[in-house]
Amino acid sequence: CHDSKGVLHEFDSHWRTDDCLDCSCTRSGIDCCTSYATPVGYDEEKCVRIFDKETCTYRVVNKDDQSKECPIHEWVG
């Protein structure tokens, strides 16, 4: 299988892309899905979500003081 960047992957192989997608190669082709959950249940007036591409995770922090994390009540993905 050739991925979107032209890299060749063996059948039955698995990898994570730079965009935090988990991909696999089968004889049917390549299948990719997100490797992370997205927070949706938080106070969007006071808080903002920040994605970390190094860890492929979200943090939800206070807009005015990003050292303070906000509670998250629901995730999707």
Side-chain angles (χ1 to χ4, degrees), residues 15-23 31-36 56:
W15 67 96
R16 181 167 283 174
T17 69
D18 293 339
D19 295 325
C20 296
L21 297 177
D22 285 335
C23 298
D31 187 32
C32 296
C33 61
T34 57
S35 63
Y36 54 88
C56 295

Side-chain angles (χ1 to χ4, degrees), residues 43-60:
D43 185 343
E44 294 185 33
E45 295 290 319
K46 296 179 183 176
C47 304
V48 62
R49 66 184 183 201
I50 300 172
F51 189 71
D52 181 347
K53 283 184 107 174
E54 292 290 317
T55 62
C56 295
T57 58
Y58 274 103
R59 289 182 40 231
V60 178

Side-chain angles (χ1 to χ4, degrees), residues 26-27 49 67 74:
T26 65
R27 296 195 184 278
R49 66 184 183 201
S67 69
E74 189 176 353

